[in-house]
Amino acid sequence: MSSPMGLGSDSLPVAVDMFGVRTYLADSMQFGLEYLCRFAPAGAYYVMPSFRGESTDRTHLAQFMHAEAELPGDLDNVLTVVEAYLRYLAQALASTCSATISRITGDLDHLNRLLHDARPFRRLTFDEAADLLGHDPRWIVRHGGWRSLTREGEQELMARCGQFLWVTHYDHLAVPFYQAQDEHGRAVNADLLFGPGEVVGAGQRHTNRDQVLAALRLHQVDSEAYDWYVRMKETVPLETAGFGLGVERFFMWLLRHDDIRDMQLLPRENGKAINP
């Protein structure tokens, strides 16, 4: 499957019949990118549609454009790359589309703030974010053995700390099994908050077979479903980390818009046949 199963997975897989074989549309190509890292020392990336089984709303799409990359190295390396990537995009857009953006938004202040502040983005661990928010159930939700941050909680954090804020090291059961764990049992991951909330998700992967098997057990996932992934980690252990950027959510920030459904180039909604 190209969508992870078990605890911590927040997307519903989209099953299709391909010539009599049941398969799934990709909600992420991360597993494929991890595989490609075994052949490409500089890493691998793509930009293409991702598919989710959930309904659309103001911040979620059933089909969205996804810019993903997987790189050799750890989480810190990937977060540095993401920050450089966003500044590169901002510079390119300011150079080529400033008149259009300014006509829509009224000014270019949000682009200029990103371009003129070269400092690394601020980071908070999930525990620090929860303490800052006072563990308020409007913003921090408890699910038994793990916690999540609501969309309202993301907005509250940005109101208090500013945009381009990394929230790192979530409870491990709050993320899919493939995210690495640190010495405290937390996920080695990070979400970048700006504009509508989480726009970039990043994480470091397990390096070897034993780490993956332990995570599969913890997340209550049958290891047979990921046998090839386990064998890959056993045959070619490698430290990698990656990120995924939701392109339409990036456009929401760029154009200061509040409904992601208006950002689709080709409108898509599950259960409907929609032509351009």
Side-chain angles (χ1 to χ4, degrees):
M1 290 179 67
S2 55
S3 177
M5 298 179 290
L7 299 175
S9 298
D10 61 357
S11 63
L12 181 66
V14 180
V16 295
D17 183 280
M18 293 286 288
F19 306 100
V21 176
R22 182 178 176 85
T23 187
Y24 298 86
L25 299 178
D27 84 334
S28 166
M29 288 298 292
Q30 179 213 311
F31 292 142
L33 294 176
E34 281 196 61
Y35 178 72
L36 288 172
C37 277
R38 270 66 185 176
F39 301 94
Y45 74 95
Y46 81 96
V47 180
M48 62 183 278
S50 283
F51 303 86
R52 300 285 172 92
E54 296 88 0
S55 299
T56 61
D57 61 29
R58 297 181 72 87
T59 58
H60 291 82
L61 292 176
Q63 179 178 322
F64 64 97
M65 295 301 295
H66 211 172
E68 286 193 290
E70 192 77 14
L71 305 169
D74 61 12
L75 181 65
D76 285 337
N77 176 55
V78 159
L79 300 194
T80 300
V81 169
V82 169
E83 294 179 19
Y85 178 41
L86 289 171
R87 289 190 169 100
Y88 177 86
L89 290 175
Q91 181 62 63
L93 289 162
S95 299
T96 60
C97 306
S98 59
T100 301
I101 297 168
S102 183
R103 175 172 54 82
I104 295 170
T105 64
D107 57 53
L108 298 176
D109 289 350
H110 57 313
L111 278 172
N112 290 329
R113 280 194 296 272
L114 177 59
L115 291 173
H116 296 154
D117 188 348
R119 293 173 298 178
F121 298 162
R122 183 176 177 181
R123 301 184 191 183
L124 290 177
T125 67
F126 191 94
D127 287 337
E128 290 170 336
D131 288 343
L132 181 63
L133 296 176
H135 302 270
D136 190 313
R138 294 175 297 171
W139 302 323
I140 302 292
V141 180
R142 293 187 175 274
H143 307 268
W146 54 281
R147 301 161 296 170
S148 64
L149 184 63
T150 66
R151 282 287 178 207
E152 294 76 14
E154 292 174 350
Q155 292 297 324
E156 183 66 21
L157 278 176
M158 289 189 290
R160 299 188 188 195
C161 302
Q163 297 200 29
F164 294 96
L165 171 69
W166 287 110
V167 180
T168 72
H169 296 87
Y170 283 55
D171 299 333
H172 200 266
L173 288 179
V175 302
F177 71 85
Y178 53 70
Q179 303 287 31
Q181 283 182 278
D182 68 5
E183 63 275 14
H184 305 293
R186 304 173 301 180
V188 186
N189 78 308
D191 286 346
L192 182 59
L193 309 184
F194 65 100
E198 178 206 344
V199 177
V200 180
Q204 185 173 318
R205 321 306 179 197
H206 300 293
T207 302
N208 60 51
R209 169 184 178 274
D210 291 343
Q211 292 169 347
V212 175
L213 288 174
L216 287 167
R217 288 192 297 270
L218 178 65
H219 288 255
Q220 301 175 18
V221 178
D222 183 357
S223 62
E224 289 186 10
Y226 292 96
D227 177 65
W228 76 270
Y229 188 71
V230 174
R231 286 188 288 109
M232 180 183 74
K233 300 286 184 173
E234 180 178 26
T235 305
V236 189
L238 182 66
E239 183 180 68
T240 69
F243 72 88
L245 177 145
V247 173
E248 290 86 354
R249 286 186 181 173
F250 175 80
F251 286 158
M252 290 178 71
W253 167 78
L254 179 69
L255 301 178
R256 291 178 176 158
H257 198 64
D258 61 358
D259 196 324
I260 196 170
R261 290 167 292 194
D262 298 328
M263 301 292 101
Q264 300 176 93
L265 179 62
L266 298 172
R268 291 290 182 263
E269 188 174 340
N270 291 339
K272 294 184 179 180
I274 305 173
N275 293 318

